[in-house]
Amino acid sequence: MSIDLEYILIPSIVSLVSAFQLGTFATRVGGARRRLKVDYPKMTGNAEFERYVRAQQNSLEFFTMFLVAMWTCSLFFHPVMGGLLGLYYVLGRRSYFNGYVNAVADRIPGFMMTIKALQLMLFFSFIGIAAVILKKYQGYDLFQHGRDLAEPHLKKYNADFILRL
């Protein structure tokens, strides 16, 4: 089986945006270090700087899980779903970082966005993997069944273009 590169364009772009975001976070930590006069190699001593470092470190800790969840969702469920949830994750991560550097409590809304995005990506990943297993070993096409159920309703509201995504 081969994959058309156009098929994975959206999650590829989101991957690059999220990598760029991590670079931006690192730059902001470096700027905070200079502005707050925190000497190398110290990582503690200034509460504001520690919030910058913690926000960046948490973002790095979640990056691997994010990439695995987004790409599994994109490949097994649908790349538009994976990419959109990935973009939601990136926006949540931005909110988390900006909130955390402002005050510890302000990180919660962004953190909840990232957790929800990860949960949904994992959920759709499992659905996609289950669909592949069912089709291969039982001859049952879960996605076709879903399209068959949805098609009359989508046509009723002139939204059947969704079936062509």
Side-chain angles (χ1 to χ4, degrees):
M1 176 182 165
S2 65
I3 295 175
D4 184 2
L5 292 179
E6 291 176 8
Y7 186 76
I8 58 171
L9 190 60
I10 295 172
S12 297
I13 291 169
V14 173
S15 293
L16 290 174
V17 168
S18 65
F20 179 77
Q21 182 181 59
L22 287 179
T24 302
F25 292 166
T27 301
R28 290 182 64 191
V29 170
R33 180 183 288 279
R34 284 186 297 281
R35 182 173 50 81
L36 299 169
K37 298 176 179 32
V38 177
D39 295 329
Y40 287 101
K42 290 182 183 175
M43 298 297 280
T44 60
N46 180 296
E48 182 180 355
F49 178 69
E50 289 175 13
R51 289 194 308 272
Y52 273 92
V53 170
R54 192 63 213 126
Q56 180 203 22
Q57 184 62 39
N58 185 271
S59 297
L60 289 169
E61 291 165 357
F62 272 78
F63 190 62
T64 306
M65 187 176 8
F66 158 66
L67 286 178
V68 168
M70 184 186 68
W71 277 102
T72 305
C73 178
S74 296
L75 294 173
F76 284 91
F77 191 80
H78 199 281
V80 172
M81 180 65 78
L84 290 176
L85 288 171
L87 186 59
Y88 184 71
Y89 175 91
V90 168
L91 293 172
R93 197 41 53 179
R94 187 180 101 196
S95 173
Y96 169 84
F97 190 94
N98 290 335
Y100 207 155
V101 299
N102 184 51
V104 174
D106 292 349
R107 78 191 193 287
I108 300 299
F111 187 74
M112 296 311 294
M113 283 176 70
T114 63
I115 293 300
K116 185 55 65 183
L118 286 170
Q119 288 172 334
L120 288 169
M121 285 185 279
L122 290 171
F123 173 76
F124 288 118
S125 294
F126 286 124
I127 296 293
I129 290 169
V132 169
I133 291 170
L134 285 170
K135 188 172 183 179
K136 179 164 180 69
Y137 295 105
Q138 297 295 320
Y140 180 74
D141 191 339
L142 182 63
F143 289 140
Q144 186 58 51
H145 182 72
R147 283 188 289 275
D148 292 345
L149 289 174
E151 186 172 16
H153 303 289
L154 292 171
K155 283 183 177 181
K156 180 178 176 182
Y157 296 104
N158 294 321
D160 54 332
F161 68 92
I162 293 171
L163 297 171
R164 295 185 294 276
L165 292 176

